[in-house]
Amino acid sequence: MNYPIDEIRSQFPVLALHDHDAKPFAFLDSTATTQKPEFVIDAMDNFYRKHYSSIKRGVYSMTAQTTDAYESARKKVAKFINAQSENEIVFTRGTTASINLCAWSYGRKFLKDGDEIVISALEHHANIVSWQLIAEERRAKLKVIPVADDGDLILEKIPELIVKGKTKIVAFAQISNTIGTENPVKEIVKIVRGIDPEIKILVDAAQSAPHKKIDVQDLDCDFLAFSGHKMYGPTGIGVLYGKYEILESMPPLQGGGEMIDQVTFEKTTFALPPDRFEAGTPPIAEVIGLGAAVDWINRTGIEAISDYEQEILHYAESKLKEIPGLHILGNPKHRGSLLSFTLDAAHPHDAATLLDEDGIAVRSGHHCAQPVMQRFGVPATIRASFGAYTEKWEIDRLVEGLLRVNRIFG
Ligand SMILES: Cc1ncc(COP(=O)(O)O)c(CNc2co[nH]c2=O)c1O
């Protein structure tokens, strides 16, 4: 493939800053958060320096321009995931906030005593604890789709877990942030819809939105959540996509400015979605940054990024498997651009500490997915994850670093 990796990597200041260090910085933690290209940084800097104002308030031209920029970003995001309308795009603080918005707004209105919520065994805590909290309040039951030793969900178990008329919500990740398992979203949606078309389905796309083309109409999910900071955009901004008629049926979660139609002391009526769910002054610069991130991904090409990252993943897998005492977690049919593994010689935190001495940044720990660690019988893992800018020499540095860990601790 003729992916212009050098040109792409040069656009990321943090990486370019260290690429000529004595021990060049190998950034292998993109699953946690991605680095930012100049294009995104400049878009936010330009807004603060030349166009800064609030939105949707006042009639002066600068605020009108800022409102246009804000709503233009919403349109870009809608197009990016092929939503039917930009009104199906709610800006939140990130994936966690998006899932909680869905759980507390939709859940509080529609869940009743004895109802059931189904999640998967591969979930991030954001897609577990939010549902536990609403289930506790609404006296609903939480059920879990099990995962096989290879890291793929056991789809045959889904029909056993779903009860027509009782199961109200099914929520699962498109790509796991620990094993990297890519779940067959369309297949799972078809199974669920085939049992009860009334069930609402939320897809956690935190690890898929940055790495693969998403078409929410094709997936036929009712909600989809992702974070700007994982897709080359800023922190503090995320998205909850929801089918409009479902968003329209949901009550606001927070009260304040912007989310209202008419306010009297006796009664308040609310704005239509998405404004209904965006109370107060929003993270304007972050929304503009997210719009720039979408532009950057579109210009770079999401398919090209996805193909390149798979090439890096397979290179990493082949190299890591040669390391004595290294065990990669799972072997799913399809995996996102990350690998979790353990070393016989050292605890993940000790290994990551030594790797850091060599200028290699990996994540160690439970990755906010403690049930996955328990299921696979490990206290923690080392996780190496890749982005549009990752180069093979970074994998080579990781292998050298892990061999050093083996020499020291082995
Ligand atoms: C699958 C998944 N869902 C939800 C979240 C929460 O996203 P946030 O609200 O933007 O924090 C994450 C973040 N995952 C990770 C954050 O740091 N390391 C990770 O693996 C995730 O990977």
Side-chain angles (χ1 to χ4, degrees), residues 29-33 93-99 122-127 172-178 204-208 225-230 235-238 338 363 366-369 383 385:
D29 194 26
S30 295
T31 287
T33 195
R93 199 171 38 80
T95 307
T96 300
S98 296
I99 296 171
L122 288 173
E123 300 311 311
H124 181 280
H125 292 164
N127 211 21
F172 62 96
Q174 183 161 20
I175 292 181
S176 149
N177 72 313
T178 50
D204 175 345
Q207 295 302 340
S208 49
F226 55 95
S227 299
H229 72 94
K230 294 178 185 292
T235 52
I237 188 65
L338 65 107
R363 176 59 63 87
H366 56 65
H367 317 294
C368 295
R383 185 185 67 191
S385 51

Side-chain angles (χ1 to χ4, degrees), residues 95 99 118-131 142-145 147 153 170-179 181 183 188 202-206 366-373:
T95 307
I99 296 171
V118 176
I119 60 174
S120 100
L122 288 173
E123 300 311 311
H124 181 280
H125 292 164
N127 211 21
I128 300 173
V129 181
S130 37
W131 300 113
L142 194 67
K143 290 180 172 177
V144 183
I145 304 168
V147 61
L153 293 182
V170 173
F172 62 96
Q174 183 161 20
I175 292 181
S176 149
N177 72 313
T178 50
I179 294 179
T181 305
N183 292 316
I188 295 172
L202 178 140
V203 172
D204 175 345
H366 56 65
H367 317 294
C368 295
Q370 289 174 337
V372 174
M373 303 295 120

Side-chain angles (χ1 to χ4, degrees), residues 59 156 160 276 324:
V59 294
E156 298 73 23
E160 298 171 23
R276 179 181 300 170

